[in-house]
Amino acid sequence: MQKILKIFLITFVLVLFTDFILGSYLLKFTPKKIDPTVSHDIFDHNLKKSFKANLEWAPGRTYPYCTDKNSFRTFCDKMESEIKEFDIAFIGDSFTEGVGIKYEETFVGRIANKFNGMKIANLGVVSYSPSIYFTKLKFLLENGYKFKRVIIYFDISDIYDDNRKY
């Protein structure tokens, strides 16, 4: 019985040691996740300014992701614009931002394509909630931004985010 216990313990220690060494070695080769968000002092987090990258949504599935100089998600060929007056602004969380898909396929991107002559801003960012919608809009208005219309897309997760995160 003691011999079996001794073999078991030695095997267990070797497996742990091997797992620790190989795990540490393999983790060095894990690609870094590209994050388009940055912390913000006023409204918790925002998108990075003039950001352009191919983001990975699922293993092997990437999509182009661009923001303009205002930190708003936009078409990659229009990311250099820095305007402060918009016809319509959309604000919401990940659905409004369009996480996981090309901007052209988001509902904001489709509306922008349909109404090409209008200036449309996508203010949506993952994990936003009503308190952030208010704070971000107030911040933008106080900093010279003008919106003729603002459309707020509430999400079922907004209540949780407001109560638990912010």
Side-chain angles (χ1 to χ4, degrees):
M1 185 68 168
Q2 270 189 343
K3 188 174 181 179
I4 292 174
L5 184 59
K6 192 176 185 180
I7 292 171
F8 173 77
L9 286 175
I10 291 171
T11 305
F12 182 72
V13 168
L14 284 173
V15 167
L16 281 178
F17 180 75
T18 305
D19 182 47
F20 178 75
I21 297 299
L22 283 178
S24 297
Y25 178 75
L26 291 175
L27 285 175
K28 290 179 185 175
F29 297 106
T30 304
K32 291 184 179 181
K33 184 179 177 194
I34 301 170
D35 187 2
T37 61
V38 63
S39 65
H40 195 278
D41 294 337
I42 309 297
F43 47 88
D44 191 67
H45 63 288
N46 199 17
L47 297 176
K48 294 176 182 173
K49 290 183 179 192
S50 301
F51 178 83
K52 185 174 186 177
N54 284 318
L55 300 183
E56 186 174 38
W57 173 243
R61 181 169 174 224
T62 61
Y63 63 103
Y65 190 98
C66 296
T67 63
D68 62 15
K69 292 180 179 181
N70 300 311
S71 298
F72 305 157
R73 181 142 187 226
T74 190
F75 298 102
C76 288
D77 61 344
K78 295 181 181 177
M79 61 185 285
E80 293 306 316
S81 64
E82 186 176 15
I83 56 174
K84 288 193 168 191
E85 292 186 27
F86 295 90
D87 296 306
I88 304 173
F90 293 89
I91 192 164
D93 63 359
S94 57
F95 182 73
T96 304
E97 178 188 344
V99 173
I101 58 176
K102 293 189 282 189
Y103 191 70
E104 294 80 2
E105 297 171 1
T106 67
F107 79 89
V108 179
R110 289 175 186 236
I111 291 170
N113 271 332
K114 179 81 173 170
F115 300 101
N116 199 16
M118 298 182 87
K119 296 174 191 160
I120 297 178
N122 185 343
L123 311 177
V125 180
V126 66
S127 292
Y128 269 14
S129 68
S131 61
I132 294 180
Y133 304 157
F134 174 78
T135 309
K136 183 173 184 173
L137 285 169
K138 184 176 182 278
F139 173 83
L140 291 171
L141 292 171
E142 289 171 350
N143 285 279
Y145 287 85
K146 295 179 181 175
F147 308 103
K148 290 180 183 175
R149 290 181 178 81
V150 175
I151 299 173
I152 302 171
Y153 273 77
F154 290 100
D155 186 272
I156 195 166
S157 66
D158 285 351
I159 296 167
Y160 174 83
D161 287 344
D162 244 4
N163 288 318
R164 298 288 182 199
K165 291 183 181 179
Y166 313 115

